[in-house]
Amino acid sequence: TRLEPNSPLALNLLGVARVAANDRAGGRAAYDKAVTADHRFIPARLNLAKLDVMEGKFDAARERLAMILKEQPNNTQAMSELANLEENLGRLDAAILQLQRIHSLEPKNISPGVHLAEIYLRKGEAEKALNLAKDLESANSTDLEVLAIEGRAYVAVGNPGLARVIYKRMTLMAGFDSAWQYRIAQLQLGAGDQNAAQYNLDKALSGNPEYLPAL
């Protein structure tokens, strides 16, 4: 910032560094200065909203994000931050609305789709979760996150048998990745298959004999 004292990019990076160093006041000052230098600079405005959330200023965060979306209706970063905010406040319908918008704009973006299906499951809307998971799986048949949410949706609609089929695929795909084999073991237990869960835990330990969660 000494070389470019009014550069929004440099000021935003300074803000990130200060917040990482637990200097929230210094971070906010840097973000504010970046926005003052260029009010259209979205990264600093998003970071101010994140900082508002960290400090419990939820209404201020929502207002900032809403203003960004008023100016840029298709800004999926702002939608994502707003979805996270609403979810953390227990406003699941509001979070779903934002995630649906992201999914419609970026149908190939896996993370928002999986997040949306996750919230459907939390709300008890298993059929919606399953339909979305199937759509995601049709285009991302080797993505473990997608397969995991699809399996959970099958369990939620009362079809653990198909979930077990999916989890078996995941077991082969995950190889000796200890973290994933441990996660799959937990999913297997959710589908009522204790023997398969034992196999996954053994495979996790084959990849890393000292992997504490599996032990």
Side-chain angles (χ1 to χ4, degrees), residues 80 83-84 87 99 110-120 122:
S80 180
N84 290 335
E87 181 185 9
L99 291 168
I110 294 172
S111 181
V114 171
H115 190 181
L116 179 56
E118 173 76 38
I119 295 182
Y120 282 148
R122 286 177 57 189

Side-chain angles (χ1 to χ4, degrees), residues 156-169:
V157 299
N159 195 338
L162 282 178
R164 292 172 188 170
V165 172
I166 290 172
Y167 298 154
K168 186 174 182 179
R169 283 175 55 197

Side-chain angles (χ1 to χ4, degrees), residues 110-208:
I110 294 172
S111 181
V114 171
H115 190 181
L116 179 56
E118 173 76 38
I119 295 182
Y120 282 148
L121 287 179
R122 286 177 57 189
K123 286 198 68 188
E125 298 178 354
E127 289 289 348
K128 285 185 179 179
L130 181 57
N131 290 334
L132 176 55
K134 284 180 178 178
D135 287 342
L136 291 169
E137 194 268 341
S138 66
N140 306 279
S141 61
T142 60
D143 188 281
L144 291 173
E145 293 288 356
V146 170
L147 293 173
I149 199 70
E150 185 180 17
R152 288 176 56 202
Y154 272 120
V155 171
V157 299
N159 195 338
L162 282 178
R164 292 172 188 170
V165 172
I166 290 172
Y167 298 154
K168 186 174 182 179
R169 283 175 55 197
M170 293 175 66
T171 299
L172 294 172
M173 291 165 54
F176 292 96
D177 184 317
S178 298
W180 261 111
Q181 291 297 349
Y182 174 70
R183 281 187 62 183
I184 297 167
Q186 294 176 305
L187 294 170
Q188 296 279 22
L189 288 175
D193 195 343
Q194 188 170 350
N195 290 334
Q198 177 69 51
Y199 176 82
N200 287 109
L201 292 174
D202 287 339
K203 198 166 183 180
L205 293 172
S206 293
N208 179 1

Side-chain angles (χ1 to χ4, degrees), residues 3-167:
L3 297 177
E4 299 180 85
N6 295 315
S7 165
L9 178 61
L11 289 165
N12 184 60
L13 291 173
L14 176 62
V16 170
R18 285 178 172 172
V19 172
N22 207 30
D23 178 10
R24 294 180 182 175
R28 185 176 292 277
Y31 294 146
D32 281 333
K33 194 170 180 181
V35 174
T36 299
D38 183 358
H39 72 278
R40 297 167 300 178
F41 189 67
I42 298 298
R45 294 168 66 182
L46 287 170
N47 283 331
L48 279 168
K50 292 178 184 178
L51 194 52
D52 286 337
V53 171
M54 291 171 65
E55 296 178 348
K57 301 173 182 177
F58 305 123
D59 289 339
R62 187 182 291 111
E63 186 175 337
R64 287 187 198 278
L65 295 168
M67 185 59 67
I68 292 173
L69 290 171
K70 184 177 180 180
E71 298 168 14
Q72 298 184 9
N74 293 336
N75 189 305
T76 56
Q77 284 184 286
M79 291 177 202
S80 180
E81 292 298 333
L82 187 54
N84 290 335
L85 169 62
E86 302 295 15
E87 181 185 9
N88 290 335
L89 293 177
R91 292 161 48 95
L92 297 185
D93 287 334
I96 284 172
L97 179 62
Q98 297 303 322
L99 291 168
Q100 286 174 333
R101 292 176 65 191
I102 298 172
H103 185 60
S104 66
L105 290 167
E106 300 179 351
K108 294 182 180 180
N109 188 349
I110 294 172
S111 181
V114 171
H115 190 181
L116 179 56
E118 173 76 38
I119 295 182
Y120 282 148
L121 287 179
R122 286 177 57 189
K123 286 198 68 188
E125 298 178 354
E127 289 289 348
K128 285 185 179 179
L130 181 57
N131 290 334
L132 176 55
K134 284 180 178 178
D135 287 342
L136 291 169
E137 194 268 341
S138 66
N140 306 279
S141 61
T142 60
D143 188 281
L144 291 173
E145 293 288 356
V146 170
L147 293 173
I149 199 70
E150 185 180 17
R152 288 176 56 202
Y154 272 120
V155 171
V157 299
N159 195 338
L162 282 178
R164 292 172 188 170
V165 172
I166 290 172
Y167 298 154

